[in-house]
Amino acid sequence: MNASERHNVTVTGRPDGQAMIFAHGFGCDQNMWRFVAPAFEDDFRVVVFDYAGAGDADPTAYDAERHGSLDGYAADVVEISRELGVKAGVFVGHSVSSMIGVLADRADPELFEKLVLVSPSPRYIDDEGYVGGFTESDIRELLDSLDSNYLGWSSVMAPVIMGNPDRPELGAELTASFCRTDPAVARRFAEVTFLSDNRADLATVQTPSLVLQCSDDAIAPVSVGEYVAHTMPNGSLVMLDATGHCPNLSAPEATVDAIAAFVRR
Amino acid sequence: MAMTSAAADQGFYDALLEDDPESLYEQAPCGYLSTDPNGGIVKVNKTFATLSGYPAAELIGRRFADLLSAGGRIYHETHYAPMLRMQGTVREMAFEIVRPDGSRLPVLVNAALQRGSSGEPRVVHIAIFDATERREYERELVRSLRRAERSEAQAKALARTLQQTLIPPTPPHIPGLDVSAAYRPAGSGEEVGGDFYDIFQIGTDDWVITLGDVCGKGVDAAVITALVRHTLRALTVQVDAPDEVLHALNDVLVAHGTDRFCTVLLLRLRHDGDSWAVTSSAGGHPLPLRVVEGGAITTVGETGSLVGVLARPVFHPETFRLTPGEALVLYTDGVTEGRSGQDFYGEHRLLDSIVAHIGPHTQWPANEMMEHVVAFQHGMPRDDIAIVTIRVPGEGRPTT
């Protein structure tokens, strides 16, 4: 099975256009981009995919060791991009995928000529002289709330996610629901995501990068977005007229406009 | 004076009719919140104010996510908000609301996004249920789940350890003979199987090979398998003739009182010049296959009785020489009874596999033969598989 099959890659838009790869964040899947990605299909080759353990990614795609750090997820992005022949493309990452994009760009600088980081945070936990917005115990609390929320379907739904041919009715029900994740994987992804510290990686990336920041983002505060844009040698920041952590859902037009202004420049 | 039942019913229905929408909303048996599409609270009912400990007026204008624990806020942004936008509803999400005094209220949340006439998100209706006791129960369930997972891991480790005692710890080696052996329990390999084999030396140039199958699986079968394997070791030291050893083993099993029986192949091999003198006996087991000079394959001996069933079983001794270039293949019925759909692996595939794999060209034919059987069953063999092959090195005498 190749990387495109493993990660449920969908390619739309102009086959000869510049590649634009959209990477979803923790908690969801490629559906996260359904209001944004289509706006670029006229002149870009648009790529969306699911990370291991999310959406319709193949159950075998997840490897506890490889995905024990964001580098493993970045390696997936590199693998997918190379397989699709991406050169000097645009990477658009939401939330944790922003940092995954930074790592992927560092691993193979040929792949992307521009990075769009939507609601990024290089470190979620406060540190000396740095406000990430959370304490370590906050993150433990998140992991507890994952346990609590996955409890109801961990045993019932997990077999479906693992591909249970004996119970097609469950599969049909799930097909209609978005953002399904393998609970065990999601929990480890949460740990990897929210305990990560990629501040030192930001300065190493020369690729022109755009930070899209919302006001009132409970996960990545404005000060963090500013930190990212200032620390990256070729970073810039656009404040969106949107609240929350997911402008790709809550303010898709503003998100599209900001990305378009950056990539068509 | 007591009311009649009819009068009581009437009073109940009157009260229902009098229930005005206002009090239905305010006094509902769950908290109600309405927020704008970005989560800003625009309306709450009294039940929620009471549950949360916040006066209703203080809640208006705050964001719903701000009432949650920090972990809950992340979950809200990464799961609740995206799902609500994409699906329009959220069901039974677990959160904790932080009360003004810092205490936590575990809640379950259902929410529905209402859209305007042109599809634009307008308002979110949220129902909040106190889940204090349920959450405690869930935590207990999670603890039980973790315990069960640990126990399962332990049980698997035990099964693996037990399994390892049923076959020799190191790949067998007999000077002057090419030996190979392979073993694999049924299914995904997590349950202890009933197949075993053993290869050991009892004198200079004097070796014993046993291979067998105790009926059943799991720990109970493994106990008998260990008994059989060690009894065979003890008996072969004292008794030369393989058929007599099987008689003694039969007595041990019958006396043990277990209702498990087994099938066994027992071979005694004596190195004699460039060939080997073999005596063998079978107890209800598929007969060894002998690959003679020129490539013909024949069975050796007679099948004999199952071991551990009859008071007076019959076991036949067989004596022959294995000369350079000749080989023997011992196997359990997990090989021939391997299935793919309705199709059995069968003797014809076994014979083909022997022709393909046994010879001076192959280092460890038992493994390759087993992989062939496992692949035939798409990686999930329905029974244990044990295979032992021996081959006398050399090309044999040229046929004239």
Side-chain angles (χ1 to χ4, degrees), chain B residues 136-221:
Chain B
E136 199 36 61
Y137 173 60
E138 287 173 0
R139 288 207 176 96
E140 189 49 51
L141 282 181
V142 169
R143 281 192 285 271
S144 305
L145 181 68
R146 299 280 173 265
R147 270 198 300 275
E149 284 168 351
R150 279 196 299 276
S151 302
E152 196 179 331
Q154 266 172 4
K156 280 181 187 168
L158 275 176
R160 269 196 303 277
T161 308
L162 191 54
Q163 191 79 68
Q164 283 158 6
T165 67
L166 305 183
I167 58 173
T170 51
H173 171 71
I174 302 179
L177 205 53
D178 294 339
V179 186
S180 79
Y183 179 88
R184 168 161 177 157
S188 55
E190 277 156 7
E191 203 182 7
V192 193
D195 284 10
F196 67 94
Y197 72 85
D198 204 359
I199 298 174
F200 52 92
Q201 186 171 22
I202 49 174
T204 316
D205 293 334
D206 196 355
W207 292 76
V208 171
I209 298 179
T210 62
L211 178 140
D213 181 0
V214 171
C215 74
K217 287 189 202 344
V219 173
D220 293 349

Side-chain angles (χ1 to χ4, degrees), chain A residues 138 141 149 151 177-178 243 245, chain B residues 38 70-71 77 87 94 104 138:
Chain A
D138 290 340
E141 203 173 66
N149 272 300
L151 181 82
S177 78
F178 301 103
T243 57
H245 185 61
Chain B
N38 292 320
E77 294 299 327
Q87 283 186 167
R104 304 293 182 90
E138 287 173 0

Side-chain angles (χ1 to χ4, degrees), chain B residues 295-316:
Chain B
I297 300 173
T298 58
T299 58
V300 173
E302 292 175 58
T303 307
S305 309
L306 293 170
V307 183
V309 180
L310 304 174
R312 296 175 184 282
V314 182
F315 303 114
H316 310 276

